[in-house]
Amino acid sequence: MYGWAVAITQPQQEQKAIFNVERAGFQTYCPRIRTKRFYGRKRVASSELLFPRYFFVQISSQWHELLNSIGVQGVIMQGERPALLSDATLIGVRSQCDAQGYFIPPSPFQFKFGQRIQIERGPFNGQFGIYKGM
């Protein structure tokens, strides 16, 4: 095995491409993110790809077969060979996903309710306060 690369799909063909690539014997990884959409007045939970039109694929010396899979437009290349991801990159992405492969976005605030904070910018720079929430 060479390692993990990034495949590019044709527009709106991600699921078809992943199915055909896996059918050709390649291992894939395609993280998703949970979203909420509005259908009329109802808010419905759904999911979408974390990286639309891209997915990770483990390649070997026979990586050219990947290009013949229906739905695949290409592979991100480095010269004449696929650009390989470092193990740390893929581990980093996987570490931010749950067991079902859904990305868990980091909290924009690391503050806890009631925590004492100091303001770092703006007109209140240097002042202290108590975090009450957003």
Side-chain angles (χ1 to χ4, degrees), residues 80-95:
E80 295 182 8
R81 307 196 85 155
L84 299 180
L85 296 169
S86 68
D87 290 337
T89 301
L90 198 62
I91 290 169
V93 172
R94 284 189 173 183
S95 70

Side-chain angles (χ1 to χ4, degrees), residues 4 19 24 33 44-45 49 59 65 91 99 102 107:
W4 289 89
F19 174 79
I33 189 164
V44 179
L49 299 178
I59 59 170
E65 293 176 24
I91 290 169
Y102 287 98
S107 172

Side-chain angles (χ1 to χ4, degrees), residues 2-128:
Y2 283 143
W4 289 89
V6 178
I8 306 166
T9 70
Q10 294 171 349
Q12 306 294 316
Q13 300 294 311
E14 294 93 349
Q15 294 305 320
K16 184 185 286 187
I18 291 168
F19 174 79
N20 287 307
V21 166
E22 288 177 348
R23 203 169 81 178
F26 293 93
Q27 183 179 352
T28 65
Y29 178 63
C30 189
R32 302 183 71 78
I33 189 164
R34 288 185 173 94
T35 58
K36 296 195 191 274
R37 295 185 178 258
F38 286 96
Y39 292 102
R41 294 183 182 193
K42 290 186 178 183
R43 192 172 181 185
V44 179
S46 65
S47 69
E48 53 190 54
L49 299 178
L50 183 59
F51 307 110
R53 292 197 62 202
Y54 297 93
F55 65 95
F56 302 107
V57 60
Q58 192 170 32
I59 59 170
S60 64
S61 59
Q62 303 298 323
W63 66 271
H64 288 89
E65 293 176 24
L66 175 66
L67 300 175
N68 296 327
S69 298
I70 296 171
V72 174
Q73 183 173 338
V75 177
I76 295 180
M77 303 290 283
Q78 183 176 14
E80 295 182 8
R81 307 196 85 155
L84 299 180
L85 296 169
S86 68
D87 290 337
T89 301
L90 198 62
I91 290 169
V93 172
R94 284 189 173 183
S95 70
Q96 293 183 340
C97 294
D98 63 14
Q100 291 81 34
Y102 287 98
F103 180 76
I104 302 167
S107 172
F109 299 101
Q110 285 77 33
F111 305 125
K112 292 184 170 67
F113 184 82
Q115 179 181 350
R116 185 171 188 228
I117 59 172
Q118 183 177 13
I119 299 170
E120 296 179 349
R121 292 188 302 256
F124 297 108
N125 185 20
Q127 297 294 315
F128 289 91

